[in-house]
């Protein structure tokens, strides 16, 4: 039987997510154990309600970057961090910081989002600690004397002169004069033993953000929009996911992912976004391509399994392919990945199973035929490097002759790291290898055969 004090301590430590999932009797017991003052304080105890990405990391850091999708709770996290910096144990006690800079793209955005917004500083502050807004001086003043001044990134020179021991920077990645404003802010962060700053932003592939993320003194927390779904309209999530899921814009604005195109990559996410289709009709052939791992245990490479269909009637220049499914699996024994490939064939009514045999040789076919002796099977062997094999396939994408039925995030990540010098990502690009074998079998090899001159016999 859990004691009342232990239950309360566990609930306060684990937070609102644990309490929300607990049985009703546990919820009632926890609330009944709290005194009147504790009940009044609970709504303002952010550590209890916060999601993991909204709490500052431990350790020595100078810059905390919160990257998240739209509605992921970035503004609330920034406002609550400012509270934790300026507030003391009691309303009139000094906090860690006494001079704060609030910097946004414009003065209006700082005022309407960071100060007066639904998740802004005023909305997050309990009545006895709520700061006073002094409009004429563009600042907040707390009961304990702490002051926060607001600044526009459009006017970097306004940051020249004032000095601070803390700063909150919002939506840095979309500032037009980001480099200048950021530099001026850094010169002003010179009060106290260790001035700190919090950056809340939707990620964009801009130099200023990448430079900050590369600093050793920077820590990062990250979250997609959906982690905060309890506070978002269900219709909003349904609509934006249906429209943007898997696209470059969706991964940036909803998943909160910083998307960087690899220098010299054969594919870019922008190109792949243009290759998406909503249906795949009139396919004349479908193949399942497999790039087997060398070994079959938990630490093995992935087994790339791609399902691709093609329309191969008429002139070869008019043929096209459609990626139908990425059925790749990880850490699987040969019999498991072989069965997964056969299952994919059955789901799509595929005509042939194509498998690379450089690593497994005859064993690959042996494993597959043990499960299905009658399967249509074609072994392929690599005589060129991965990049050389991928180039003709990338050319077909550039011609608009390969499409994706929806989005394949993991596959596309690998594709965007494949360069002419090789693969720039971690591990092996097993999904790309399987894709290349599938499209080579469907479009490139038959096309070469069609163009081969016929030999007349007498």
């Amino acid at each position: 039987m859990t004691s009342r004090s232990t239950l309360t301590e566990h609930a306060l430590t684990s937070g609102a997510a644990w309490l929300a999932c607990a049985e009703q009797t546990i919820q009632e017991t926890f609330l009944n154990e709290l005194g009147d003052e504790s009940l009044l304080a609970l709504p303002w105890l952010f550590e209890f309600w916060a999601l993991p990405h909204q709490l500052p990391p431990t350790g020595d850091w100078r810059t905390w970057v919160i990257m998240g999708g739209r509605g992921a709770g970035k503004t609330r996290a920034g406002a609550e961090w400012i509270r934790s910096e300026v507030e003391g144990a009691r309303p009139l006690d000094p906090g860690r910081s006494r001079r704060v800079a609030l910097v946004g793209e414009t003065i209006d955005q700082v005022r309407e989002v960071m100060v007066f917004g639904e998740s802004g500083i005023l909305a997050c502050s309990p009545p006895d600690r709520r700061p006073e807004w002094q409009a004429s001086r563009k600042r907040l003043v707390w009961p304990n004397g702490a002051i926060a001044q607001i600044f526009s990134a459009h006017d970097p020179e306004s940051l020249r002169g004032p000095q601070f021991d803390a700063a909150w920077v919002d939506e840095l990645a979309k500032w037009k004069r980001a480099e200048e404003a950021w530099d001026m802010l850094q010169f002003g962060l010179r009060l106290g033993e260790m001035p700190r700053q919090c950056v809340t932003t939707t990620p964009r592939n801009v130099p200023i953000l990448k430079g900050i993320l590369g600093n050793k003194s920077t820590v990062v927390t990250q979250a997609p929009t959906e982690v905060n779904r309890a506070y978002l309209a269900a219709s909003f999530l349904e609509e934006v996911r249906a429209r943007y899921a898997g696209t470059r814009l969706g991964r940036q604005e909803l998943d909160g992912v910083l998307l960087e195109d690899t220098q010299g990559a054969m594919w870019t996410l922008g190109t792949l976004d243009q290759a998406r289709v909503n249906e795949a009709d009139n396919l004349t052939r479908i193949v399942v391509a497999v790039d087997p791992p060398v070994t079959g245990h938990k630490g093995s490479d992935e087994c790339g399994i791609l399902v691709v269909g093609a329309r191969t009637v008429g002139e070869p220049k008019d043929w096209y392919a459609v990626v139908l499914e990425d059925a790749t699996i990880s850490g699987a024994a040969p019999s498991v990945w072989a069965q997964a490939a056969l299952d994919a064939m059955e789901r799509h009514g595929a005509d042939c199973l194509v498998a690379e045999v450089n690593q497994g040789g005859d064993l690959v076919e042996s494993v597959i035929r043990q499960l299905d002796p009658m399967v249509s099977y074609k072994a392929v062997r690599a005589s060129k490097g991965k990049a050389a094999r991928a180039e003709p396939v990338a050319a077909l994408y550039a011609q608009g002759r390969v499409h994706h039925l929806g989005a394949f995030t993991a596959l596309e990540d690998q594709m965007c790291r494949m360069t002419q010098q090789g693969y720039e990502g971690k591990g092996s690009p097993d999904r790309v290898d399987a894709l290349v074998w599938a499209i080579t079998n469907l479009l490139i090899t038959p096309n070469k055969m069609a163009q081969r001159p016929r030999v007349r016999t007498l």
Side-chain angles (χ1 to χ4, degrees):
M1 189 72 172
T2 304
S3 70
R4 292 161 64 96
S5 59
T6 302
L7 175 61
T8 302
E9 182 179 350
H10 181 67
L12 290 172
T13 302
S14 302
W18 175 84
L19 189 62
C21 298
E23 297 177 0
Q24 184 176 352
T25 55
I26 294 178
Q27 295 174 346
E28 292 175 352
T29 300
F30 166 70
L31 294 174
N32 289 334
E33 288 179 7
L34 298 178
D36 291 343
E37 291 185 357
S38 297
L39 281 172
L40 290 172
L42 189 60
W44 310 104
L45 185 61
F46 187 59
E47 291 82 356
F48 180 76
W49 302 102
L51 296 166
H53 73 281
Q54 294 177 307
L55 294 175
T58 58
D60 295 331
W61 51 266
R62 178 175 171 82
T63 305
W64 172 29
V65 178
I66 308 172
M67 291 199 303
R70 300 284 188 91
K74 302 186 297 297
T75 302
R76 178 67 185 272
E80 293 286 359
W81 181 74
I82 291 297
R83 274 193 59 203
S84 70
E85 285 288 302
V86 302
E87 292 180 7
R90 292 172 297 185
L92 298 181
D93 290 347
R96 181 183 180 278
S97 301
R98 295 185 60 82
R99 293 293 180 268
V100 178
L102 305 177
V103 191
E105 187 172 21
T106 66
I107 291 292
D108 286 347
Q109 289 179 5
V110 178
R111 184 180 61 243
E112 299 304 320
V113 176
M114 301 170 73
V115 176
F116 285 95
E118 292 184 358
S119 298
I121 293 171
L122 293 178
C124 296
S125 300
D128 61 342
R129 298 162 185 262
R130 183 168 293 136
E132 174 193 358
W133 170 245
Q134 299 180 347
S136 61
R137 302 189 67 178
K138 298 177 183 176
R139 70 180 193 174
L140 288 169
V141 180
W142 274 264
N144 64 3
I147 296 173
Q149 297 174 257
I150 72 173
F151 299 90
S152 166
H154 282 317
D155 183 16
E157 289 299 310
S158 65
L159 286 160
R160 185 187 293 274
Q163 53 186 354
F164 318 99
D165 45 18
W168 173 20
V169 170
D170 190 47
E171 292 298 352
L172 168 74
K174 71 184 186 73
W175 292 359
K176 290 181 173 59
R177 303 183 68 182
E179 295 279 358
E180 298 170 74
W182 180 260
D183 288 343
M184 289 297 100
L185 176 61
Q186 303 316 297
F187 286 122
L189 274 171
R190 56 179 182 258
L191 295 180
E193 293 184 3
M194 189 171 70
R196 286 180 166 182
Q197 55 198 339
C198 174
V199 178
T200 52
T201 188
T202 304
R204 288 187 178 182
N205 187 20
V206 292
I208 182 65
L209 180 57
K210 292 193 292 184
I212 294 169
L213 294 176
N215 289 337
K216 293 181 179 179
S217 59
T218 297
V219 294
V220 182
T221 60
Q222 194 169 0
T225 297
E226 288 189 2
V227 301
N228 206 29
R229 58 187 175 275
Y231 302 99
L232 302 172
S235 58
F236 161 75
L237 287 173
E238 183 179 353
E239 180 67 22
V240 295
R241 278 297 175 194
R243 184 167 183 176
Y244 301 110
T247 66
R248 184 185 183 92
L249 185 62
R251 297 200 66 202
Q252 173 181 287
E253 302 292 329
L254 299 178
D255 296 334
V257 176
L258 178 62
L259 302 174
E260 299 182 75
D261 290 330
T262 301
Q263 186 72 27
M266 295 184 187
W267 292 273
T268 66
L269 283 172
T271 301
L272 295 175
D273 276 348
Q274 296 176 1
R276 302 192 201 288
V277 294
N278 296 320
E279 55 185 20
D281 296 330
N282 305 317
L283 301 178
T284 56
R285 286 194 68 217
I286 297 175
V287 302
V288 173
V290 181
D291 180 53
V294 179
T295 57
H297 52 74
K298 187 176 181 179
S300 300
D301 289 335
E302 293 177 323
C303 177
I305 304 175
L306 266 290
V307 185
V308 183
R311 178 171 174 78
T312 56
V313 296
E315 293 295 320
K317 64 182 178 64
D318 297 323
W319 297 355
Y320 63 84
V322 182
V323 180
L324 304 174
E325 183 185 353
D326 180 358
T328 299
I329 59 175
S330 301
S335 60
V336 176
W337 59 252
Q339 187 62 60
L342 293 170
D343 291 344
M345 288 189 71
E346 184 175 354
R347 283 195 299 274
H348 294 273
D351 304 285
C352 182
L353 178 62
V354 178
E356 182 183 319
V357 297
N358 282 57
Q359 302 294 344
D362 294 338
L363 178 62
V364 174
E365 181 176 4
S366 175
V367 171
I368 293 171
R369 293 209 180 277
Q370 286 177 14
L371 299 172
D372 186 351
M374 303 303 294
V375 66
S376 176
Y377 171 84
K378 178 177 178 58
V380 290
R381 187 176 296 275
S383 58
K384 300 178 181 179
K386 297 178 186 294
R389 297 199 306 272
E391 281 189 87
V393 175
L396 292 174
Y397 274 86
Q399 295 168 8
R401 293 174 57 191
V402 184
H403 310 289
H404 287 193
L405 185 61
F408 303 98
T409 301
L411 167 65
E412 292 167 7
D413 281 348
Q414 287 191 358
M415 294 172 73
C416 292
R417 290 180 172 85
M418 180 64 73
T419 73
Q420 292 181 341
Q421 287 71 43
Y423 183 57
E424 298 294 332
K426 295 181 180 179
S428 176
D430 304 289
R431 298 168 194 259
V432 175
D433 283 345
L435 172 76
V436 167
W437 287 124
I439 295 177
T440 299
N441 179 269
L442 288 167
L443 299 185
I444 297 174
T445 302
N447 189 26
K448 289 180 179 178
M449 295 293 292
Q451 295 177 354
R452 190 173 294 175
R454 296 180 180 178
V455 179
R456 296 181 61 185
T457 58
L458 298 177

